[in-house]
Amino acid sequence: AVEDRSWKGAEGTSVLKNPTIFEQYRKEAQLLARLGHLELIFLEHRGQPIAFVYGWNAKSVHFLAKVGYDESFARFAPGQQLILRLLEKYHTDSNMRLLDFAGPFVDFHKVWTSRSYPVGPLVVATPQLLGRGLFHAYTQWQPRVKRLKQRVTASLQSLRAAAVSVGRRLGRPMSQMSQ
């Protein structure tokens, strides 16, 4: 609900607006809880949650998968406040050695990190026909389209270079070559 009160709710990308994704997070959280790794942390104002961190601890690392906050408190940076409190807590815990933002590097990470590492995409599809079709398109056709686009771009660059060369030999500027 906190995430849904943020920009993600307005854009329709909060987990509450995506039942399949919500179900995936729910199952993941149940498994992490059974293993003793789940960490849900909330920042409250007058008894109401205004920010949260969803993540897990394993091998002395906290993997921070989601941060969300209530947009009406944005001027107080509640997500950043929560990460600060999380780091303060972990600095007193000799078992914790690292906070990992568990995903692609985004602007708000810059405040908190001194290094990053490359990550690759994770593609998840629903088992329905549309999901399977989109997954197939992404894994099979998207690389082919990308290669084709590169070849077409290279060919067009070669053609432009040849046209410029011919134009120079004829003593005509490029703008007159199409006439």
Side-chain angles (χ1 to χ4, degrees):
V2 173
E3 181 184 58
D4 202 50
R5 292 192 305 265
S6 75
W7 61 269
K8 288 184 175 187
E11 287 187 4
T13 59
S14 75
V15 295
L16 288 182
K17 302 261 191 309
N18 296 283
T20 303
I21 301 298
F22 181 78
E23 183 62 17
Q24 175 61 35
Y25 274 111
R26 190 185 65 74
K27 287 178 180 178
E28 179 182 79
Q30 285 177 327
L31 175 62
L32 289 167
R34 276 196 304 272
L35 296 171
H37 297 300
L38 179 65
E39 186 139 21
L40 288 170
I41 305 162
F42 292 90
L43 179 65
E44 294 182 347
H45 174 69
R46 297 185 176 163
Q48 293 297 313
I50 62 169
F52 75 94
V53 165
Y54 166 79
W56 58 91
N57 296 328
K59 298 183 179 180
S60 301
V61 177
H62 177 85
F63 295 93
L64 193 153
K66 272 185 129 359
V67 176
Y69 62 90
D70 185 324
E71 196 73 30
S72 64
F73 292 92
R75 68 182 178 173
F76 301 110
Q80 300 286 10
Q81 295 282 340
L82 196 49
I83 292 171
L84 174 63
R85 289 184 168 92
L86 182 66
L87 286 170
E88 287 174 341
K89 173 185 167 190
Y90 289 151
H91 274 282
T92 63
D93 185 345
S94 61
N95 293 322
M96 294 304 290
R97 61 177 182 79
L98 187 68
L99 172 65
D100 188 319
F101 284 98
F105 194 70
V106 295
D107 284 342
F108 95 88
H109 296 160
K110 292 176 185 174
V111 175
W112 305 108
T113 63
S114 57
R115 60 187 170 161
S116 65
Y117 58 88
V119 296
L122 172 65
V123 180
V124 178
T126 59
Q128 289 79 20
L129 184 61
L130 178 61
R132 290 194 323 263
L134 291 172
F135 183 80
H136 181 76
Y138 181 84
T139 59
Q140 302 301 313
W141 289 102
Q142 185 259 358
R144 293 175 186 168
V145 170
K146 192 175 186 179
R147 284 192 301 273
L148 178 62
K149 181 181 174 187
Q150 290 169 342
R151 284 198 299 254
V152 168
T153 301
S155 294
L156 288 174
Q157 288 172 344
S158 295
L159 287 172
R160 284 187 192 110
V164 168
S165 176
V166 168
R168 284 187 188 134
R169 280 186 272 173
L170 296 174
R172 296 169 69 188
M174 184 65 182
S175 62
Q176 294 177 358
M177 290 304 295
S178 62
Q179 298 174 354

